[in-house]
Amino acid sequence: MGTQLSFDRGSAEALSVSKQEPTWLTVRRAEAAEKAQTLDWPQPEKMRIARWNLEAFGNYKAAEPAAGTAELPAALQELLSKEEDASGLLVQRNSSRVLNRMNEKLAAKGVIFTDLETAAREHVELVQKHLFSVVDPYTDKLTARHAALWTGGVFVYVPKNVEVELPLQALLYSDDAEATFAPHILLIADTNSRVTYVDNVVSAFAGEVAPSVHQSVTEVIVKAGARVQFATVHHLAESVTDLSVRRAKVEQDGRIEWIVGDLHDGNILSDTVSVLEGSGATSDAKVITIGARAQKMSVTTQAVHVGRSTDSNMVTRAVMKEQATAIINGITKIEKGATKANGVQTEKVLMLSPKARGDANPILLIDEDDVTAGHAASVGQVNPEQIHYLMSRGIAKEDAERLIIYGFLAPVVSEVPIPSVREQLQRLLERKLES
Amino acid sequence: MSTKFVVNGLKAEIEGKEILKGIDLNIKGGEIHAIMGPNGTGKSTLASALMGHPKYEVTSGTATLNDEDLLEMEVDARARAGLFLAMQYPSEITGVTNSDFLRSAINARRGEGNEISLIKFIRQMEGKMKELDMNPEFAHRYLNEGFSGGEKKRNEILQMLLLEPKITILDEIDSGLDIDALKIVAAGVNAMRSEERGFLIITHYQRLLNYITPDYVHVMMQGRIVKSGGPELAQRLEDEGYDWVKEELGIVDETVGKA
């Protein structure tokens, strides 16, 4: 198998040099590669990811630039908004960016939307300062390895007081299982700015392919008074292991809204954390996931309250089919001094098969007295009384079940604030539920 | 064809305990039958068993609607054949809006390729909601979720009006209704009265029957219909209670299926 690669300081350095990256980045990559050798894989609750295929991270392969979206596979074109409905578009194929465009008026206002490799050369100060400022690259083997070999990626910078009305859209796809697919997303929303970022992480393989890994790290920096909506929908093939770590750091009165659609067909480690540093900072996370076949999923959302009067809300809904296993963790962490903080979380799992497994673990870690926190978690099956009620009105059993399953997800889907993402989520989750 | 609903010797049990001990009923289109009786005598079991609730097992007897064997059918097929049960405790279903549910139910009856147009559906639904004095907002609320008892009952009647069943069973539709709501519900039922439709009204009290005049009144005790008569029977039960019936028939404990 050609997907395996021994990765060490030397090869990380050599790759970075061959790509003519700035020296500071080459040095960082080399150090991270070395650290990765000794660090352990992350150990999420009740899920032994060390058993997964984590090594198939492939080789860096630069893809040919595309002249336009018409050159993309048809199935991927469907995922894109119309040009006039987005402020910009970036497409990464395997290891590198192949397409990038942005509204010129926004560019004139100083908004930056490009791949992270380019940004590391052209916007050194911003990137050098903020890259891995939210996620510690030496947290574990996953983050260290990512720091060593991330490729392509997305960089967003929105200057002070600038509002980006229409979403910035990224399409990150893999069509070569032997190519490294490890985008790093760095989004900086400066003071009082507004931005919506939407991406799709997908695969477009022709037929059966060898196992591969998608590993991404997202860092979002929300400065004072800024507001970021970050929506990401993953639907890669079963052969792909998806390892996605997302962190937002939110300063005073800033707000982060996450929308995560984990509709991927392979194993998933999905970890989304909002760190509410400044007073009055708020976060909202909506996560929808559907498990099927023998899929294993570890899906965690976390809110860390550091600042006073911070507020977090997290909702996760999971539907589990066949033999799928999901461990859904919700962590509300309130640090000492975060007075008047309020954290609320709900995890609900609907089991459609006796062989499926779903755990919902609400975890509250509270070190301050003057706070409020709430949690609700449930794991259950389709209620036979509800089925009976619908059937008693003439609705066939399978239609009744479908209504109830979609109804389970609807309260979260319907609150997704970005219409295009809402519709896409609905379509993709229907596809996965009906398959 | 005029509607003909015939129940013959129906026996049913729950968890091995026999609750219905042989029920006979014969309801023709245009007729309203009322079943009255104290708590625990098997009235609601009769309604649930006819609809096909999975908790109840019919052990013998027949139930036919226009000569079609209902007991052979799945629950949804019974509904499509024209049976409707307004339930005492309707389910709440999160995420399914009332209007989506109603449209699914109407289309299930009409069949594939013959679905009702959205505009026509909305017009019908809004018209019927108005008749029932329901806030239009209820169309967009999740099915029965957070509805008060009275709102749920009205919603049951809304379904009846839209689905136009041949045989409607109202299981204690009057419980939890104030007098104004009761009048509205009764008006809904009366508006549906026709040669095509029959009704079976299950109730504790005579109250509802002030607004919907039944043709026949049956008293249920110990899982059987022990006495039948006309509307005057309901009036006497209201005035004198059930003791005289028990006395007349030598019944000490009228309930059924108690451990």
Side-chain angles (χ1 to χ4, degrees), chain A residues 317 348 383-397 399 403-404 406-408 410-412 414, chain B residues 51-54 75-76 79-80 84-85 87 90-96 101 104-105 108 142-144 156 159:
Chain A
R317 294 273 158 111
K348 287 190 179 177
N383 180 340
E385 285 291 334
Q386 295 181 337
I387 295 282
H388 174 70
Y389 186 66
L390 295 178
M391 286 178 75
S392 79
R393 300 315 184 226
I395 298 170
K397 189 171 186 184
D399 294 331
L403 277 172
I404 291 167
Y406 287 128
F408 173 77
V412 182
S414 66
Chain B
M51 196 69 244
H53 192 286
V75 175
D76 54 321
R80 291 194 300 271
F84 181 89
L85 168 61
M87 297 195 191
S91 285
E92 299 185 3
I93 304 183
T94 303
V96 178
F101 157 68
S104 298
Y142 291 147
L143 182 50
N144 292 325
E156 293 291 286
Q159 293 168 44

Side-chain angles (χ1 to χ4, degrees), chain A residues 277-315:
Chain A
E277 296 229 316
S279 61
T282 62
S283 69
D284 183 272
K286 294 181 173 56
V287 181
I288 288 185
T289 184
I290 295 168
R293 294 187 283 274
Q295 216 178 340
K296 304 235 180 308
M297 327 169 94
S298 169
V299 178
T300 301
T301 47
Q302 182 172 358
V304 182
H305 295 254
V306 181
R308 292 178 185 182
S309 301
T310 46
D311 188 285
S312 68
N313 187 29
M314 303 187 283
V315 178

